[in-house]
Coordinates of all heavy atoms in Angstrom, one line a residue:
M1 N 26.3 14.6 -8.1 CA 26.1 13.1 -8.0 C 24.7 12.8 -7.3 O 24.0 12.0 -7.8 CB 27.2 12.7 -7.1 CG 27.0 11.1 -6.7 SD 28.1 10.2 -7.9 CE 28.2 8.7 -7.0
I2 N 24.3 13.6 -6.3 CA 23.0 13.5 -5.7 C 21.9 13.7 -6.7 O 20.8 13.1 -6.7 CB 22.8 14.3 -4.4 CG1 23.7 13.7 -3.4 CG2 21.3 14.3 -4.0 CD1 23.7 14.6 -2.1
E3 N 22.1 14.7 -7.6 CA 21.0 15.1 -8.6 C 20.9 13.8 -9.5 O 19.7 13.6 -9.9 CB 21.5 16.4 -9.4 CG 21.4 17.6 -8.6 CD 22.6 17.9 -7.8 OE1 23.7 17.3 -8.1 OE2 22.6 18.7 -6.8
K4 N 21.9 13.2 -10.0 CA 21.8 12.0 -10.8 C 20.9 11.0 -10.2 O 20.1 10.3 -10.8 CB 23.2 11.5 -11.0 CG 23.3 10.2 -11.9 CD 24.7 9.8 -12.1 CE 24.7 8.6 -12.9 NZ 26.2 8.1 -13.0
H5 N 21.1 10.6 -8.9 CA 20.4 9.8 -8.2 C 18.9 10.1 -7.9 O 18.0 9.3 -8.1 CB 21.0 9.3 -6.9 CG 22.3 8.8 -6.9 ND1 22.5 7.6 -7.7 CD2 23.6 9.2 -6.4 CE1 23.8 7.3 -7.7 NE2 24.5 8.2 -6.9
L6 N 18.7 11.5 -7.7 CA 17.3 11.9 -7.6 C 16.6 11.8 -9.0 O 15.4 11.5 -9.0 CB 17.3 13.4 -7.3 CG 17.8 13.6 -5.8 CD1 17.8 15.2 -5.4 CD2 16.9 13.0 -4.7
G7 N 17.2 12.0 -10.0 CA 16.6 11.8 -11.4 C 16.3 10.4 -11.6 O 15.2 10.0 -12.1
K8 N 17.2 9.4 -11.2 CA 16.7 8.0 -11.3 C 15.7 7.6 -10.4 O 14.8 6.8 -11.0 CB 18.1 7.1 -10.9 CG 19.2 7.2 -11.9 CD 20.3 6.4 -11.5 CE 21.5 6.2 -12.4 NZ 22.6 5.5 -12.0
E9 N 15.6 8.1 -9.2 CA 14.5 7.8 -8.4 C 13.1 8.4 -8.8 O 12.1 7.7 -9.0 CB 14.7 8.4 -6.9 CG 13.7 8.1 -5.9 CD 13.0 9.3 -5.4 OE1 13.5 10.5 -5.4 OE2 11.9 9.1 -4.7
R10 N 13.2 9.6 -9.6 CA 12.0 10.2 -10.2 C 11.5 9.4 -11.3 O 10.4 9.0 -11.4 CB 12.3 11.6 -10.5 CG 11.1 12.3 -11.2 CD 11.5 13.7 -11.5 NE 10.3 14.3 -12.2 CZ 9.9 14.2 -13.4 NH1 10.9 13.6 -14.2 NH2 8.9 15.0 -13.9
C11 N 12.4 8.9 -12.1 CA 12.2 8.1 -13.2 C 11.6 6.8 -12.8 O 10.5 6.3 -13.5 CB 13.4 7.8 -14.0 SG 13.2 7.0 -15.6
F12 N 12.1 6.1 -11.8 CA 11.6 4.8 -11.2 C 10.1 5.1 -10.7 O 9.3 4.3 -11.0 CB 12.5 4.3 -10.3 CG 12.1 2.9 -9.8 CD1 12.2 1.8 -10.6 CD2 11.4 2.8 -8.5 CE1 11.9 0.5 -10.2 CE2 11.1 1.4 -8.2 CZ 11.4 0.3 -9.0
R13 N 9.9 6.2 -10.0 CA 8.6 6.5 -9.4 C 7.6 6.6 -10.6 O 6.4 6.1 -10.5 CB 8.6 7.7 -8.5 CG 9.1 7.5 -7.2 CD 8.9 8.8 -6.2 NE 9.7 9.9 -6.8 CZ 9.1 11.0 -7.2 NH1 7.8 11.1 -7.4 NH2 9.9 12.0 -7.6
L14 N 7.9 7.4 -11.7 CA 7.1 7.5 -12.7 C 6.8 6.4 -13.4 O 5.5 6.0 -13.9 CB 7.7 8.5 -13.7 CG 7.7 10.0 -13.3 CD1 8.6 10.8 -14.2 CD2 6.4 10.6 -13.1
W15 N 7.8 5.4 -13.6 CA 7.5 4.1 -14.3 C 6.5 3.3 -13.3 O 5.6 2.7 -13.9 CB 8.8 3.4 -14.4 CG 8.6 2.0 -14.9 CD1 8.3 1.5 -16.1 CD2 8.8 0.8 -14.2 NE1 8.1 0.2 -16.2 CE2 8.4 -0.3 -15.1 CE3 9.1 0.5 -12.8 CZ2 8.5 -1.6 -14.5 CZ3 9.1 -0.8 -12.4 CH2 8.8 -1.8 -13.2
M16 N 6.8 3.2 -12.0 CA 5.9 2.4 -11.2 C 4.5 3.0 -11.2 O 3.5 2.3 -11.2 CB 6.4 2.7 -9.6 CG 7.7 1.8 -9.3 SD 7.5 0.1 -9.2 CE 6.8 0.0 -7.5
N17 N 4.4 4.3 -11.1 CA 3.0 4.9 -11.3 C 2.3 4.6 -12.6 O 1.1 4.4 -12.6 CB 3.1 6.3 -11.1 CG 3.3 6.8 -9.6 OD1 2.8 6.1 -8.6 ND2 3.9 7.9 -9.5
S18 N 3.0 4.4 -13.6 CA 2.5 4.1 -14.9 C 2.0 2.7 -15.1 O 1.3 2.4 -15.9 CB 3.5 4.3 -16.1 OG 4.5 3.2 -16.1
L19 N 2.4 1.9 -14.1 CA 1.9 0.4 -14.1 C 0.5 0.2 -13.6 O -0.1 -0.7 -13.8 CB 2.8 -0.4 -13.2 CG 4.4 -0.6 -13.7 CD1 5.0 -1.3 -12.5 CD2 4.4 -1.4 -14.9
G20 N 0.0 1.3 -13.0 CA -1.5 1.3 -12.4 C -1.4 0.6 -11.1 O -2.4 -0.1 -10.8
I21 N -0.4 0.8 -10.3 CA -0.4 0.3 -8.9 C -1.4 1.0 -8.1 O -2.0 2.0 -8.4 CB 1.0 0.3 -8.3 CG1 1.5 1.7 -8.2 CG2 1.8 -0.7 -9.0 CD1 2.8 1.9 -7.6
S22 N -1.8 0.5 -6.9 CA -3.0 1.0 -5.9 C -2.7 2.3 -5.5 O -3.5 2.9 -4.9 CB -3.2 -0.1 -5.0 OG -2.1 -0.3 -4.0
I23 N -1.3 2.8 -5.3 CA -1.1 4.0 -4.7 C -0.3 4.9 -5.8 O 0.2 4.5 -6.6 CB -0.4 4.1 -3.4 CG1 1.0 3.5 -3.7 CG2 -1.0 3.2 -2.4 CD1 2.0 3.7 -2.4
D24 N -0.4 6.2 -5.5 CA 0.4 7.2 -6.3 C 1.7 7.4 -5.6 O 1.7 7.9 -4.5 CB -0.3 8.5 -6.6 CG 0.4 9.4 -7.5 OD1 1.1 8.9 -8.2 OD2 0.3 10.6 -7.3
M25 N 2.7 6.9 -6.1 CA 4.0 7.0 -5.4 C 4.6 8.4 -5.5 O 4.8 8.8 -6.5 CB 5.0 6.0 -6.0 CG 4.7 4.5 -5.8 SD 5.9 3.5 -6.3 CE 7.3 3.9 -5.2
N26 N 4.8 8.9 -4.3 CA 5.4 10.2 -4.2 C 6.8 10.1 -3.4 O 7.6 10.9 -3.8 CB 4.6 11.2 -3.3 CG 3.2 11.5 -4.1 OD1 3.2 11.8 -5.4 ND2 2.1 11.4 -3.3
N27 N 7.0 9.2 -2.6 CA 8.3 9.0 -1.9 C 8.7 7.6 -2.2 O 8.1 6.7 -1.4 CB 8.0 9.3 -0.4 CG 9.2 9.2 0.4 OD1 10.2 8.4 0.0 ND2 9.4 9.8 1.6
L28 N 9.5 7.3 -3.0 CA 9.9 6.0 -3.4 C 10.3 5.1 -2.2 O 9.8 4.1 -2.0 CB 11.1 5.9 -4.4 CG 11.6 4.7 -4.8 CD1 10.6 3.7 -5.4 CD2 12.8 4.8 -5.6
F29 N 11.2 5.7 -1.4 CA 11.8 4.9 -0.2 C 10.8 4.7 0.9 O 11.0 3.7 1.7 CB 13.1 5.6 0.2 CG 14.0 5.7 -0.9 CD1 14.3 6.9 -1.4 CD2 14.7 4.6 -1.5 CE1 15.2 7.2 -2.6 CE2 15.5 4.6 -2.5 CZ 15.8 5.9 -3.1
G30 N 9.8 5.7 1.0 CA 8.8 5.4 2.1 C 7.7 4.5 1.6 O 7.2 3.7 2.3
D31 N 7.3 4.7 0.4 CA 6.2 3.9 -0.2 C 6.5 2.4 -0.4 O 5.5 1.6 -0.5 CB 5.7 4.5 -1.5 CG 5.1 5.9 -1.3 OD1 4.7 6.2 -0.2 OD2 5.1 6.6 -2.3
V32 N 7.5 2.0 -0.4 CA 7.9 0.6 -0.6 C 8.2 -0.2 0.7 O 8.4 -1.3 0.6 CB 9.1 0.4 -1.7 CG1 8.9 1.1 -3.1 CG2 10.5 0.9 -1.0
R33 N 8.1 0.5 1.7 CA 8.6 -0.1 3.0 C 7.9 -1.4 3.4 O 8.4 -2.3 3.9 CB 8.5 0.9 4.1 CG 9.5 2.0 4.1 CD 9.4 3.0 5.1 NE 9.7 2.3 6.4 CZ 9.8 3.1 7.5 NH1 9.4 4.4 7.6 NH2 10.2 2.6 8.6
N34 N 6.5 -1.5 3.1 CA 5.8 -2.6 3.4 C 5.8 -3.8 2.4 O 5.3 -4.9 2.6 CB 4.3 -2.4 3.9 CG 3.4 -1.8 2.7 OD1 3.7 -1.9 1.5 ND2 2.4 -1.2 3.1
G35 N 6.5 -3.4 1.2 CA 6.6 -4.4 0.2 C 5.4 -4.7 -0.8 O 5.6 -5.2 -1.8
W36 N 4.2 -4.1 -0.5 CA 3.0 -4.3 -1.2 C 3.2 -3.7 -2.6 O 2.8 -4.4 -3.6 CB 1.8 -3.6 -0.5 CG 0.6 -3.9 -1.2 CD1 -0.1 -3.1 -2.0 CD2 -0.2 -5.1 -1.2 NE1 -1.2 -3.7 -2.5 CE2 -1.4 -5.0 -2.0 CE3 -0.1 -6.3 -0.6 CZ2 -2.4 -6.0 -2.3 CZ3 -1.0 -7.2 -0.8 CH2 -2.1 -7.1 -1.7
V37 N 3.7 -2.5 -2.7 CA 3.8 -1.8 -4.0 C 4.8 -2.5 -4.9 O 4.5 -2.7 -6.1 CB 4.2 -0.3 -4.0 CG1 3.6 0.5 -4.9 CG2 4.1 0.2 -2.6
L38 N 5.8 -3.2 -4.3 CA 6.7 -3.9 -5.2 C 6.0 -5.2 -5.6 O 6.4 -5.6 -6.7 CB 8.1 -4.1 -4.3 CG 8.8 -2.8 -4.0 CD1 10.0 -3.2 -3.0 CD2 9.3 -2.2 -5.3
L39 N 5.2 -5.8 -4.7 CA 4.6 -7.0 -5.1 C 3.6 -6.7 -6.3 O 3.6 -7.5 -7.2 CB 3.8 -7.6 -4.0 CG 4.6 -8.3 -2.9 CD1 3.7 -8.7 -1.7 CD2 5.4 -9.5 -3.4
E40 N 3.0 -5.5 -6.3 CA 2.2 -5.2 -7.4 C 2.9 -4.9 -8.6 O 2.5 -5.3 -9.7 CB 1.3 -3.8 -7.0 CG 0.2 -4.1 -6.0 CD -0.6 -2.7 -5.8 OE1 0.0 -1.7 -5.4 OE2 -1.8 -2.7 -6.2
A41 N 4.0 -4.3 -8.5 CA 4.8 -4.1 -9.6 C 5.4 -5.3 -10.3 O 5.4 -5.5 -11.5 CB 6.0 -3.1 -9.3
H42 N 5.8 -6.2 -9.5 CA 6.3 -7.6 -10.0 C 5.1 -8.2 -10.7 O 5.3 -8.9 -11.9 CB 6.7 -8.4 -8.8 CG 8.1 -8.3 -8.6 ND1 9.2 -8.5 -9.3 CD2 8.7 -7.9 -7.3 CE1 10.3 -8.3 -8.8 NE2 10.1 -8.0 -7.6
D43 N 3.9 -8.2 -10.1 CA 2.7 -8.9 -10.7 C 2.4 -8.3 -12.1 O 2.0 -8.9 -13.0 CB 1.5 -8.9 -9.8 CG 0.5 -9.9 -10.2 OD1 0.9 -11.1 -10.4 OD2 -0.6 -9.6 -10.3
K44 N 2.5 -7.0 -12.1 CA 2.1 -6.2 -13.4 C 3.2 -6.5 -14.4 O 2.9 -6.7 -15.6 CB 2.1 -4.8 -13.2 CG 1.0 -4.2 -12.3 CD -0.3 -4.1 -12.9 CE -1.3 -3.6 -12.0 NZ -2.6 -3.3 -12.5
S45 N 4.4 -6.6 -14.1 CA 5.5 -6.9 -15.0 C 5.6 -8.4 -15.3 O 5.9 -8.7 -16.5 CB 6.9 -6.4 -14.4 OG 6.8 -5.0 -14.1
F46 N 5.4 -9.2 -14.4 CA 5.6 -10.7 -14.6 C 4.3 -11.3 -14.0 O 4.2 -11.8 -12.9 CB 6.8 -11.2 -13.9 CG 8.1 -10.6 -14.4 CD1 8.7 -9.5 -13.5 CD2 8.7 -10.8 -15.5 CE1 9.8 -8.8 -13.9 CE2 9.9 -10.2 -15.9 CZ 10.4 -9.2 -15.1
S47 N 3.3 -11.3 -14.9 CA 1.9 -11.9 -14.4 C 2.0 -13.1 -13.7 O 2.7 -14.1 -14.3 CB 1.0 -11.9 -15.5 OG -0.3 -12.2 -15.1
G48 N 1.5 -13.4 -12.6 CA 1.5 -14.7 -11.9 C 2.6 -15.0 -11.0 O 2.8 -16.0 -10.5
S49 N 3.6 -14.0 -11.0 CA 4.8 -14.1 -10.1 C 4.6 -14.0 -8.7 O 5.4 -14.5 -7.9 CB 6.0 -13.2 -10.6 OG 5.5 -11.8 -10.4
V50 N 3.4 -13.4 -8.3 CA 3.2 -13.1 -6.9 C 2.2 -14.1 -6.3 O 1.2 -14.3 -6.9 CB 2.7 -11.7 -6.7 CG1 2.4 -11.4 -5.2 CG2 3.7 -10.6 -7.1
N51 N 2.5 -14.8 -5.2 CA 1.6 -15.6 -4.5 C 0.7 -14.6 -3.5 O 1.2 -14.4 -2.4 CB 2.3 -16.7 -3.6 CG 1.2 -17.6 -3.0 OD1 0.2 -17.4 -2.9 ND2 1.9 -18.6 -2.5
W52 N -0.5 -14.2 -3.9 CA -1.2 -13.2 -3.3 C -1.8 -13.9 -1.9 O -2.1 -13.1 -1.0 CB -2.3 -12.7 -4.0 CG -1.8 -11.8 -5.2 CD1 -1.7 -12.0 -6.5 CD2 -1.1 -10.5 -4.9 NE1 -1.2 -11.0 -7.2 CE2 -0.8 -10.1 -6.4 CE3 -0.9 -9.8 -3.8 CZ2 -0.1 -8.9 -6.4 CZ3 -0.2 -8.5 -4.1 CH2 0.1 -8.1 -5.3
K53 N -1.9 -15.1 -1.9 CA -2.4 -15.8 -0.5 C -1.3 -15.6 0.6 O -1.8 -15.6 1.7 CB -2.6 -17.3 -0.9 CG -3.8 -17.5 -1.7 CD -4.1 -19.0 -1.9 CE -5.3 -19.2 -2.9 NZ -5.4 -20.6 -3.2
Q54 N 0.0 -15.4 0.3 CA 0.9 -15.2 1.2 C 1.2 -13.7 1.5 O 2.0 -13.4 2.4 CB 2.3 -15.9 0.8 CG 2.2 -17.4 0.8 CD 3.5 -18.1 0.5 OE1 4.4 -17.4 0.0 NE2 3.6 -19.3 0.7
A55 N 0.6 -12.8 0.7 CA 0.9 -11.4 0.9 C -0.1 -10.8 1.9 O -1.2 -11.3 2.0 CB 0.7 -10.7 -0.5
S56 N 0.5 -9.8 2.6 CA -0.3 -9.0 3.4 C -0.7 -7.6 2.9 O 0.2 -6.9 2.6 CB 0.4 -8.8 4.9 OG 0.8 -10.1 5.4
K57 N -1.9 -7.3 2.8 CA -2.5 -6.1 2.1 C -2.5 -4.9 3.2 O -2.9 -5.2 4.4 CB -3.9 -6.3 1.6 CG -4.4 -5.1 0.8 CD -5.6 -5.4 0.1 CE -6.0 -4.2 -0.7 NZ -7.2 -4.4 -1.6
P58 N -2.0 -3.8 2.8 CA -2.1 -2.6 3.7 C -3.5 -2.2 4.1 O -4.4 -2.5 3.3 CB -1.4 -1.4 2.9 CG -0.7 -2.2 1.7 CD -1.4 -3.5 1.6
P59 N -3.7 -1.7 5.3 CA -2.7 -1.2 6.2 C -2.2 -2.5 7.0 O -3.1 -3.3 7.4 CB -3.4 -0.2 7.2 CG -4.8 -0.5 7.0 CD -5.1 -1.2 5.6
I60 N -0.9 -2.7 7.0 CA -0.4 -3.8 7.9 C 0.1 -3.3 9.2 O 1.0 -2.6 9.3 CB 0.9 -4.4 7.0 CG1 0.5 -4.7 5.6 CG2 1.4 -5.5 7.7 CD1 1.6 -5.0 4.8
K61 N -0.5 -3.8 10.2 CA -0.2 -3.5 11.6 C 0.8 -4.3 12.2 O 1.7 -3.9 13.0 CB -1.6 -3.4 12.4 CG -2.6 -2.5 11.9 CD -3.7 -2.4 12.8 CE -4.7 -1.5 12.0 NZ -5.6 -0.7 12.9
M62 N 0.8 -5.7 11.8 CA 1.8 -6.5 12.4 C 3.0 -6.5 11.7 O 3.0 -6.7 10.3 CB 1.2 -7.9 12.5 CG 0.0 -8.0 13.4 SD 0.1 -7.4 15.1 CE 1.0 -8.8 15.8
P63 N 4.2 -6.5 12.2 CA 5.5 -6.4 11.6 C 5.7 -7.6 10.7 O 6.5 -7.4 9.6 CB 6.6 -6.2 12.7 CG 5.8 -5.8 13.8 CD 4.4 -6.3 13.7
F64 N 5.5 -8.8 11.1 CA 5.7 -10.0 10.3 C 4.9 -10.0 8.9 O 5.5 -10.5 8.0 CB 5.4 -11.2 11.1 CG 4.0 -11.4 11.4 CD1 3.0 -12.0 10.5 CD2 3.4 -11.1 12.7 CE1 1.6 -12.2 10.9 CE2 2.1 -11.2 13.1 CZ 1.2 -11.8 12.1
G65 N 3.8 -9.3 8.8 CA 3.2 -9.1 7.5 C 4.0 -8.4 6.5 O 4.2 -8.6 5.4
K66 N 4.7 -7.4 7.0 CA 5.6 -6.6 6.2 C 6.9 -7.3 5.7 O 7.3 -7.3 4.6 CB 6.1 -5.3 6.9 CG 4.9 -4.3 7.2 CD 5.4 -3.0 8.0 CE 4.2 -2.2 8.4 NZ 4.8 -1.1 9.3
V67 N 7.4 -8.1 6.7 CA 8.5 -8.9 6.5 C 8.2 -10.1 5.4 O 9.0 -10.3 4.5 CB 9.0 -9.7 7.8 CG1 10.0 -10.7 7.5 CG2 9.6 -8.6 8.7
E68 N 7.0 -10.6 5.6 CA 6.5 -11.7 4.5 C 6.5 -11.1 3.1 O 6.9 -11.5 2.2 CB 5.2 -12.2 4.8 CG 5.2 -13.1 6.0 CD 3.8 -13.5 6.5 OE1 2.9 -12.9 6.1 OE2 3.7 -14.4 7.2
N69 N 6.0 -9.8 3.0 CA 6.0 -9.2 1.7 C 7.2 -8.9 1.2 O 7.6 -9.2 0.1 CB 5.1 -7.8 1.8 CG 3.6 -8.0 1.9 OD1 3.2 -9.2 1.8 ND2 3.0 -6.9 2.1
R70 N 8.2 -8.4 2.1 CA 9.5 -8.1 1.5 C 10.3 -9.2 1.2 O 11.0 -9.3 0.2 CB 10.2 -7.3 2.6 CG 9.6 -5.8 2.8 CD 10.5 -5.0 3.9 NE 10.5 -5.5 5.0 CZ 9.8 -5.1 6.2 NH1 9.1 -4.1 6.0 NH2 10.1 -5.6 7.3
N71 N 10.2 -10.4 1.9 CA 10.9 -11.6 1.6 C 10.3 -12.2 0.3 O 11.1 -12.7 -0.5 CB 10.7 -12.6 2.7 CG 11.5 -12.2 4.0 OD1 12.4 -11.5 3.8 ND2 11.1 -12.8 5.1
Q72 N 9.0 -12.0 0.0 CA 8.4 -12.6 -1.2 C 9.0 -11.6 -2.4 O 9.4 -12.3 -3.4 CB 6.9 -12.5 -1.3 CG 6.4 -13.2 -2.4 CD 4.9 -13.4 -2.5 OE1 4.4 -13.8 -3.5 NE2 4.1 -13.1 -1.4
V73 N 9.2 -10.4 -2.2 CA 9.8 -9.4 -3.2 C 11.1 -10.0 -3.5 O 11.4 -10.0 -4.8 CB 9.7 -7.9 -2.8 CG1 10.5 -7.1 -3.6 CG2 8.3 -7.5 -2.7
I74 N 11.9 -10.2 -2.5 CA 13.3 -10.6 -2.7 C 13.4 -12.0 -3.4 O 14.1 -12.2 -4.3 CB 14.1 -10.5 -1.4 CG1 14.2 -9.1 -0.9 CG2 15.4 -11.2 -1.6 CD1 14.7 -8.9 0.3
G75 N 12.5 -12.9 -3.0 CA 12.4 -14.2 -3.5 C 12.1 -14.1 -5.0 O 12.7 -14.9 -5.8
I76 N 11.1 -13.2 -5.4 CA 10.8 -13.2 -6.8 C 11.9 -12.6 -7.6 O 12.3 -13.0 -8.7 CB 9.5 -12.3 -7.0 CG1 8.3 -13.0 -6.4 CG2 9.2 -12.0 -8.5 CD1 7.1 -12.0 -6.2
G77 N 12.6 -11.7 -7.0 CA 13.8 -11.0 -7.7 C 14.9 -12.1 -7.9 O 15.5 -12.0 -9.0
K78 N 15.2 -12.9 -6.9 CA 16.0 -14.0 -7.2 C 15.7 -15.0 -8.3 O 16.5 -15.4 -9.0 CB 16.4 -14.7 -5.8 CG 17.2 -13.8 -4.8 CD 17.4 -14.5 -3.5 CE 18.2 -13.7 -2.5 NZ 18.3 -14.3 -1.2
Q79 N 14.4 -15.4 -8.3 CA 13.9 -16.3 -9.3 C 14.2 -15.6 -10.7 O 14.4 -16.4 -11.7 CB 12.5 -16.6 -9.0 CG 12.2 -17.6 -7.9 CD 10.7 -17.8 -7.6 OE1 10.0 -17.0 -8.2 NE2 10.4 -18.5 -6.6
L80 N 13.9 -14.4 -10.8 CA 14.0 -13.6 -12.0 C 15.5 -13.2 -12.3 O 15.7 -12.5 -13.4 CB 13.1 -12.5 -12.1 CG 11.6 -12.8 -12.0 CD1 10.7 -11.5 -11.8 CD2 11.1 -13.5 -13.1
N81 N 16.4 -13.5 -11.4 CA 17.8 -12.9 -11.5 C 17.8 -11.5 -11.7 O 18.5 -10.9 -12.5 CB 18.5 -13.5 -12.8 CG 18.7 -15.0 -12.5 OD1 19.0 -15.5 -11.4 ND2 18.5 -15.9 -13.5
S82 N 17.0 -10.8 -11.0 CA 16.9 -9.3 -11.1 C 17.2 -8.6 -9.7 O 17.1 -7.3 -9.7 CB 15.5 -8.9 -11.5 OG 14.6 -9.2 -10.8
S83 N 17.4 -9.4 -8.7 CA 17.8 -8.7 -7.4 C 19.2 -8.1 -7.4 O 20.1 -8.9 -7.8 CB 17.4 -9.7 -6.2 OG 18.3 -10.7 -6.3
V84 N 19.5 -7.0 -6.9 CA 20.8 -6.4 -6.8 C 21.2 -6.1 -5.5 O 20.9 -5.0 -5.0 CB 20.8 -5.0 -7.7 CG1 22.2 -4.5 -7.8 CG2 20.1 -5.3 -9.0
N85 N 21.8 -7.1 -4.9 CA 22.3 -7.0 -3.5 C 21.3 -6.3 -2.6 O 21.7 -5.3 -2.0 CB 23.6 -6.2 -3.7 CG 24.5 -6.5 -2.3 OD1 24.3 -7.3 -1.6 ND2 25.5 -5.5 -2.1
V86 N 20.2 -6.7 -2.5 CA 19.1 -6.2 -1.6 C 18.6 -7.2 -0.6 O 18.6 -8.3 -0.8 CB 17.9 -5.7 -2.5 CG1 16.8 -5.1 -1.7 CG2 18.3 -4.8 -3.5
A87 N 18.4 -6.7 0.6 CA 17.9 -7.5 1.7 C 16.6 -6.9 2.2 O 16.4 -5.7 2.1 CB 18.9 -7.6 2.8
G88 N 15.8 -7.6 2.9 CA 14.5 -7.1 3.4 C 14.7 -5.9 4.3 O 13.9 -5.0 4.4
N89 N 15.8 -6.0 5.0 CA 16.1 -4.7 6.0 C 16.3 -3.5 5.3 O 16.1 -2.3 5.8 CB 17.4 -5.2 6.8 CG 17.5 -4.3 8.0 OD1 16.6 -3.9 8.6 ND2 18.8 -3.9 8.3
N90 N 16.7 -3.6 4.0 CA 16.9 -2.3 3.2 C 15.4 -1.6 3.1 O 15.4 -0.3 3.0 CB 17.4 -2.6 1.8 CG 18.8 -3.1 1.8 OD1 19.1 -4.2 1.3 ND2 19.7 -2.3 2.3
F91 N 14.5 -2.3 3.0 CA 13.0 -1.8 2.9 C 12.5 -1.1 4.2 O 11.8 -0.2 4.3 CB 12.1 -2.7 2.4 CG 12.4 -3.3 1.1 CD1 12.5 -4.7 0.9 CD2 12.5 -2.6 -0.1 CE1 12.8 -5.2 -0.4 CE2 12.8 -3.1 -1.3 CZ 13.0 -4.4 -1.4
V92 N 13.0 -1.8 5.3 CA 12.4 -1.5 6.6 C 12.6 0.0 7.0 O 11.7 0.6 7.5 CB 13.0 -2.4 7.7 CG1 12.6 -1.9 9.1 CG2 12.8 -3.8 7.6
H93 N 13.8 0.5 6.8 CA 14.1 1.7 7.2 C 13.7 2.9 6.3 O 13.7 4.1 6.5 CB 15.6 2.0 7.5 CG 16.0 1.0 8.6 ND1 15.5 1.1 9.9 CD2 16.9 -0.1 8.5 CE1 16.1 0.1 10.6 NE2 16.8 -0.7 9.8
G94 N 13.4 2.5 5.0 CA 12.9 3.4 4.0 C 14.0 4.4 3.6 O 13.7 5.6 3.2
K95 N 15.1 3.8 3.4 CA 16.3 4.7 3.1 C 16.9 4.3 1.7 O 17.0 3.1 1.5 CB 17.4 4.7 4.2 CG 17.1 5.4 5.4 CD 18.2 5.3 6.4 CE 17.8 6.0 7.8 NZ 19.1 6.1 8.7
S96 N 17.4 5.3 1.1 CA 18.0 4.9 -0.2 C 19.5 4.3 0.1 O 20.1 4.6 1.2 CB 18.3 6.3 -0.9 OG 19.3 6.2 -1.9
L97 N 19.9 3.6 -0.8 CA 21.3 3.0 -0.7 C 22.3 4.1 -0.9 O 23.4 3.9 -0.5 CB 21.4 2.0 -1.8 CG 20.7 0.7 -1.6 CD1 20.9 -0.3 -2.7 CD2 20.9 0.0 -0.3
Y98 N 21.9 5.2 -1.3 CA 22.8 6.3 -1.4 C 22.9 7.3 -0.2 O 23.7 8.2 -0.2 CB 22.3 7.2 -2.7 CG 22.2 6.5 -3.9 CD1 21.0 6.2 -4.5 CD2 23.2 5.8 -4.5 CE1 20.8 5.5 -5.7 CE2 23.1 5.1 -5.7 CZ 21.9 4.9 -6.3 OH 21.7 4.2 -7.4
D99 N 22.1 7.0 0.8 CA 22.1 7.8 2.0 C 23.4 7.4 2.7 O 23.9 6.2 2.7 CB 20.9 7.4 2.9 CG 19.6 8.0 2.4 OD1 19.6 8.7 1.6 OD2 18.6 7.5 2.9
T100 N 24.0 8.4 3.4 CA 25.1 8.2 4.1 C 25.0 8.5 5.6 O 24.0 9.1 6.0 CB 26.3 9.2 3.5 OG1 25.9 10.6 3.6 CG2 26.7 8.7 2.2

């Protein structure tokens, strides 16, 4: 079961890297914590969907900047009907939903 999820995670990382985002994703759950990479992925997939004036670019030292990015990611997902039971807190800890 875990191997199946690791395969999905690897596939998702490869897809994200193919978009030409600013970092090379090696750890999916760690690399998305500040929300920036997900904003980039949304913008590459749905051009103009991200309000870059409201986004905080890494390195983000203040926690509210990370929260703003994550909230924008979730808001875009809801607008596109593509969010799957995700909250900003899921990103904070950098853990997979499959972690027990």
Side-chain angles (χ1 to χ4, degrees):
M1 178 96 163
I2 290 179
E3 291 83 18
K4 178 181 175 183
H5 297 302
L6 289 175
K8 288 180 181 180
E9 185 237 345
R10 181 177 178 274
C11 183
F12 188 73
R13 277 188 297 113
L14 290 171
W15 174 74
M16 291 280 286
N17 286 329
S18 76
L19 294 174
I21 56 176
S22 62
I23 68 164
D24 185 28
M25 290 187 65
N26 295 313
N27 177 341
L28 175 65
F29 304 107
D31 291 339
V32 300
R33 289 178 74 175
N34 65 18
W36 184 261
V37 216
L38 294 173
L39 288 174
E40 285 186 298
H42 273 300
D43 197 53
K44 297 279 185 179
S45 301
F46 306 98
S47 184
S49 63
V50 176
N51 182 349
W52 291 110
K53 291 181 181 178
Q54 291 181 351
S56 298
K57 187 173 183 175
I60 305 169
K61 298 184 184 207
M62 302 302 284
F64 61 84
K66 296 175 185 179
V67 172
E68 287 173 348
N69 286 354
R70 292 188 297 256
N71 288 341
Q72 187 173 174
V73 167
I74 292 168
I76 294 168
K78 287 179 180 178
Q79 288 174 352
L80 299 171
N81 293 322
S82 66
S83 59
V84 184
N85 197 22
V86 177
N89 197 36
N90 294 122
F91 299 122
V92 174
H93 302 294
K95 292 186 178 180
S96 162
L97 295 176
Y98 305 114
D99 288 348
T100 56

